[in-house]
Amino acid sequence: MISTQQIIHCPNPDCDQPINNKGDRLCYNCQTPLIYRYLWATGSVAATIQPQTKVANRYEVITQQMWLDTQPGLPPEIPAELPPEVIPYLKLYPERLHIPQPYGFTSSSTADTNDILLLENAPINAAGNLYPIITEVWEEAKAVRQLYWLWQILQLWKPLSELGVAASLLSTDNLLVQGWCIRLLELQPSTEKPTLQDLGQSWQSWVLVAKAEIAAGLGNIIQQMCQGQVDLVTITNQLNQLLLASAAELPLMLKVAGFTDIGPVMKHNEDSCYPSNHSDLDNYLKEHLSIVCDGIGGHEGGEVASQLAVQSLKLQIRAWLQDVAEQTEIVPPDLLQQQLEASLRVVNNMIWSRNDEQHRQGRERMATTLVMAIQLPQRIVTNTGWESENAHELYIASVGDSRAYWITPSYCQLLTIDDDMANREVCFGHALYRQAMTIPNAHALIQALGTKEAEFLNFSVKRFILEEDGILLLCSDGLSDDDWVEQSWRDYAVPLLTGKLTVEDAARNWVKLTNEKNGQDNTSVVLTVCRTSQASLVPVKPAAMITQPIEPEESAITAPEAETVDYLADSSLALLDLELTEESAPTLLKELNRGKLIVILGGCFALLLGGTSIGLFAWWQFQPQSFVQVCRQLPQQLNQFCPKRE
């Protein structure tokens, strides 16, 4: 260890004069943007190293245990055999929004081995300051945010318990917050397994300074936890009810726009998005649904797959929104997530079956990535006693490498995880992220809609609460490649949220800028500007549902291509022409009346018959015989998409 010099190295390996003054933003020699990567150094040894010290001639100690990598272009030291302490971090990689990740190891002056674990993605801002501890900002936080923080802790309880690190959630000093988001400083293993009773006891002092409108309800929940009277599911449902009732007090205004472009290099646009500059908008749907798909398999494959996914999901989600809106009680998140997964299985099987019909093999098989956001309006009585029609829930589903980000003037948060080779290696505990990025085909996809049968896909469906002003960005990798979102988001956040830039212009301009800077791929962007803070805003209320059939959007496929693929003619996008036989109609109507159907195949049943229910997934799981009976009586083009149950 030596006394620190205030320098930062250029990450460009070809720069022949890489040393720059700390504080510079661009390399003086080659104009490459400089990277300031702040790390959290774990362990008691790291805690003894004084600020203004440089460790291993590389890491500058900023404050106690907060270090800056002054040579971010070099790979960190990683042992050949990963120590057990890093495995929980790796297996919790899907929770990287909340949990830091191992960056590498280094040695202290008192040992010859790499005894200090360095964490990246720690709760440190761009200026090198830790985010506040939860107790420092708890009392000033609004009621919905207090509950939202507790909800996130509760969601982390099970996965951390399974890996023996749930004690990380009991230490106040380990719980930091970045706006709405809970961020853990590090994972803390324990020999004894903490209980919900322990968690409740750690919350007891917080309820004393909770906001008045939630204090009684929250106190009741914590009391049950402390007495060991309830299980995790019961507590989760009670806290969810209180959270939604609090969120529904806020106003909500959404403005949505999308833009897709072929780009300067590609000959065809295999991306599809909703809403987009090429689509007719459904006034009801556009406030609640946004989709980005990036097709795979060439012009006659990827373009068809992405359009097929968007069209089918529009029909299914519209019927699903109507069904949820008619419920008299709050539908819990786990059931809603299952229903969304069922919709994605339907879409996957449609694309998979189309590949089989057209005898596509290997790289010829078409597929598509997907990122989809649904703002779900549920009716609920608020904590102050009036009925609201929107509980501010946001569900994000993803498969592949299309991404979702949440952006405010202060931060940009990646909400999704790419389904690629590198991330799979991390999640399996085989490699640290920086290590995995060096493997061959690190960015190759391991799954997308249509690549395999639905039972072998692992969809990511997450629930968020809209409780602050911000921007939801969905994009294909044409924008996210080379960290372009991270480099450019500041140019759009403030102008969008202050009204100086319209959401339509922002989407168009972002794609245009991407074509200039990245430009090697198609690019699609869907932006949703969310406002919850202005008292003058009127909460968004669901428009009256349109009962007449929806006209399908005009396809971008030309006449000769349509003649080849003809994907609208016999798929579930043409389901409005479905004719039920005299034999099948009574059975189908009986099931609809019994409330067994919500997410229907391609959305046709709800549009034709007006039926609502608890979901295709639930029907298939709990009434398999009647489900199969109806499926067998459907026309062949629909029956092939029904899930099979042994």
Side-chain angles (χ1 to χ4, degrees):
M1 294 185 291
I2 59 176
S3 178
T4 184
Q5 294 177 308
Q6 302 294 308
I7 61 173
I8 187 81
H9 286 247
C10 176
N12 180 3
D14 298 323
C15 182
D16 56 5
Q17 298 181 32
I19 296 178
N20 294 267
N21 293 322
K22 183 184 172 185
D24 292 347
R25 290 298 161 188
L26 298 176
C27 176
Y28 180 81
N29 181 55
C30 68
Q31 299 301 298
T32 298
L34 299 177
I35 298 173
Y36 289 80
R37 183 173 295 136
Y38 292 97
L39 308 169
W40 181 253
T42 65
S44 57
V45 174
T48 65
I49 302 176
Q50 296 300 309
Q52 299 186 352
T53 301
K54 184 167 284 187
V55 179
N57 198 31
R58 174 174 180 173
Y59 300 105
E60 179 185 339
V61 181
I62 307 300
T63 60
Q64 188 182 52
Q65 294 185 261
M66 189 194 303
W67 296 6
L68 172 67
D69 186 355
T70 64
Q71 300 183 56
L74 297 180
E77 291 288 333
I78 301 174
E81 183 176 346
L82 296 177
E85 65 187 284
V86 307
I87 301 303
Y89 287 100
L90 303 181
K91 291 186 177 295
L92 289 167
Y93 187 79
E95 302 294 344
R96 67 180 299 276
L97 188 61
H98 307 286
I99 297 172
Q101 281 295 303
Y103 179 67
F105 291 81
T106 193
S107 299
S108 69
S109 61
T110 59
D112 296 328
T113 58
N114 291 328
D115 58 336
I116 299 176
L117 169 63
L118 302 174
L119 301 177
E120 62 178 323
N121 189 43
I124 305 171
N125 65 20
N129 299 312
L130 284 172
Y131 287 111
I133 296 171
I134 188 171
T135 51
E136 295 175 350
V137 292
W138 173 269
E139 196 168 350
E140 296 139 12
K142 55 191 175 185
V144 62
R145 180 159 290 185
Q146 292 177 340
L147 294 171
Y148 196 15
W149 286 335
L150 298 183
W151 166 264
Q152 293 170 64
I153 293 172
L154 210 55
Q155 294 304 293
L156 292 169
W157 184 256
K158 182 178 179 181
L160 268 64
S161 294
E162 292 172 348
L163 292 169
V165 290
S168 312
L169 300 171
L170 302 180
S171 173
T172 299
D173 292 341
N174 199 49
L175 298 172
L176 285 68
V177 293
Q178 181 188 22
W180 63 272
C181 184
I182 286 286
R183 303 282 303 271
L184 271 63
L185 190 57
E186 60 186 41
L187 295 180
Q188 300 174 348
S190 62
T191 54
E192 296 184 4
K193 186 176 181 179
T195 65
L196 270 180
Q197 190 172 8
D198 297 322
L199 184 61
Q201 290 172 354
S202 72
W203 290 359
Q204 276 186 318
S205 61
W206 300 357
V207 73
L208 301 176
V209 286
K211 287 293 184 285
E213 61 267 33
I214 64 169
L218 181 57
N220 179 55
I221 291 173
I222 293 175
Q223 182 180 15
Q224 294 178 64
M225 294 170 67
C226 291
Q227 294 175 352
Q229 296 176 344
V230 290
D231 56 20
L232 181 61
V233 173
T234 302
I235 286 297
T236 299
N237 288 336
Q238 291 182 19
L239 186 59
N240 181 63
Q241 187 81 19
L242 192 60
L243 170 61
L244 296 186
S246 183
E249 300 271 5
L250 300 174
L252 180 60
M253 179 177 287
L254 307 173
K255 291 185 178 180
V256 189
F259 196 89
T260 183
D261 189 78
I262 190 173
V265 175
M266 305 296 286
K267 295 181 179 180
H268 305 286
N269 191 356
E270 297 181 43
D271 285 5
S272 295
C273 65
Y274 180 82
S276 81
N277 46 313
H278 300 306
S279 65
D280 296 326
L281 297 183
D282 179 330
N283 288 332
Y284 174 77
L285 202 58
K286 73 175 183 178
E287 293 181 340
H288 301 290
L289 175 67
S290 53
I291 306 172
V292 167
C293 290
D294 183 355
I296 303 166
H299 178 43
E300 293 186 355
E303 183 173 345
V304 173
S306 63
Q307 291 183 8
L308 182 61
V310 170
Q311 295 280 21
S312 179
L313 284 168
K314 284 174 60 181
L315 292 171
Q316 292 190 73
I317 298 305
R318 196 173 193 280
W320 182 67
L321 288 171
Q322 181 183 17
D323 186 89
V324 173
E326 293 176 357
Q327 302 302 311
T328 57
E329 297 182 356
I330 288 292
V331 184
D334 56 347
L335 179 56
L336 294 170
Q337 289 166 339
Q338 290 174 12
Q339 292 170 347
L340 285 175
E341 289 175 6
S343 293
L344 296 179
R345 290 190 184 96
V346 170
V347 176
N348 180 83
N349 288 347
M350 290 166 61
I351 299 172
W352 175 266
S353 297
R354 182 56 50 81
N355 281 322
D356 289 346
E357 290 169 6
Q358 297 177 357
H359 306 291
R360 293 175 178 264
Q361 299 295 326
R363 293 183 177 273
E364 295 179 350
R365 292 182 73 86
M366 61 182 176
T368 183
T369 70
L370 165 85
V371 61
M372 174 174 65
I374 301 169
Q375 197 289 295
L376 180 67
Q378 293 204 70
R379 290 190 180 92
I380 190 169
V381 176
T382 68
N383 291 325
T384 55
W386 59 280
E387 184 176 76
S388 171
E389 294 185 343
N390 201 325
H392 292 222
E393 289 178 284
L394 176 70
Y395 285 84
I396 294 181
S398 65
V399 58
D401 61 357
S402 294
R403 292 181 174 183
Y405 295 83
W406 179 253
I407 299 171
T408 73
S410 302
Y411 47 78
C412 174
Q413 298 165 324
L414 176 60
L415 304 180
T416 53
I417 301 294
D418 294 347
D419 291 319
D420 60 19
M421 291 286 290
N423 288 343
R424 183 179 68 175
E425 288 297 293
V426 175
C427 292
F428 284 172
H430 295 164
L432 306 193
Y433 179 75
R434 299 287 166 179
Q435 190 178 20
M437 290 295 290
T438 65
I439 66 174
N441 301 315
H443 293 296
L445 294 181
I446 59 172
Q447 64 172 10
L449 291 175
T451 56
K452 58 185 79 173
E453 293 183 89
E455 62 182 300
F456 300 110
L457 287 176
N458 294 309
F459 302 110
S460 171
V461 181
K462 296 183 178 181
R463 200 276 296 269
F464 302 89
I465 299 296
L466 296 173
E467 51 89 75
E468 68 176 353
D469 289 359
I471 303 159
L472 178 66
L473 164 66
L474 307 186
C475 66
S476 60
D477 61 354
L479 174 57
S480 61
D481 277 354
D482 300 322
D483 298 326
W484 187 242
V485 173
E486 288 79 359
Q487 295 181 47
S488 59
W489 66 269
R490 290 178 179 85
D491 298 331
Y492 297 92
V494 173
L496 263 173
L497 292 172
T498 57
K500 295 179 180 178
L501 183 67
T502 67
V503 65
E504 293 82 6
D505 287 343
R508 185 183 303 107
N509 293 348
W510 214 336
V511 171
K512 180 180 178 181
L513 187 62
T514 302
N515 287 339
E516 296 172 0
K517 300 296 183 179
N518 274 357
Q520 302 301 309
D521 200 353
N522 311 139
T523 301
S524 294
V525 168
V526 178
L527 292 171
T528 304
V529 177
C530 308
R531 300 182 186 277
T532 66
S533 63
Q534 298 180 23
S536 59
L537 295 182
V538 178
V540 172
K541 296 183 178 181
M545 293 297 295
I546 303 172
T547 55
Q548 63 266 31
I550 305 171
E551 293 295 329
E553 294 177 5
E554 182 179 351
S555 172
I557 301 177
T558 61
E561 293 154 1
E563 190 174 300
T564 302
V565 289
D566 195 22
Y567 79 96
L568 290 176
D570 62 349
S571 75
S572 68
L573 299 181
L575 295 178
L576 298 180
D577 296 325
L578 174 65
E579 293 183 3
L580 298 175
T581 65
E582 291 182 2
E583 292 78 16
S584 66
T587 304
L588 180 58
L589 287 169
K590 180 179 179 181
E591 294 299 335
L592 288 167
N593 290 334
R594 290 172 59 187
K596 297 294 191 296
L597 189 61
I598 172 181
V599 181
I600 45 295
L601 301 174
C604 65
F605 296 163
L607 292 174
L608 290 171
L609 302 175
T612 61
S613 68
I614 63 169
L616 174 66
F617 181 88
W619 181 10
W620 172 50
Q621 288 289 321
F622 300 113
Q623 298 287 337
Q625 293 181 345
S626 63
F627 177 86
V628 172
Q629 180 183 1
V630 172
C631 283
R632 288 173 177 169
Q633 296 176 27
L634 292 174
Q636 182 61 34
Q637 66 265 35
L638 291 183
N639 181 270
Q640 63 182 320
F641 301 126
C642 290
K644 302 299 188 292
R645 186 182 180 99
E646 297 298 332

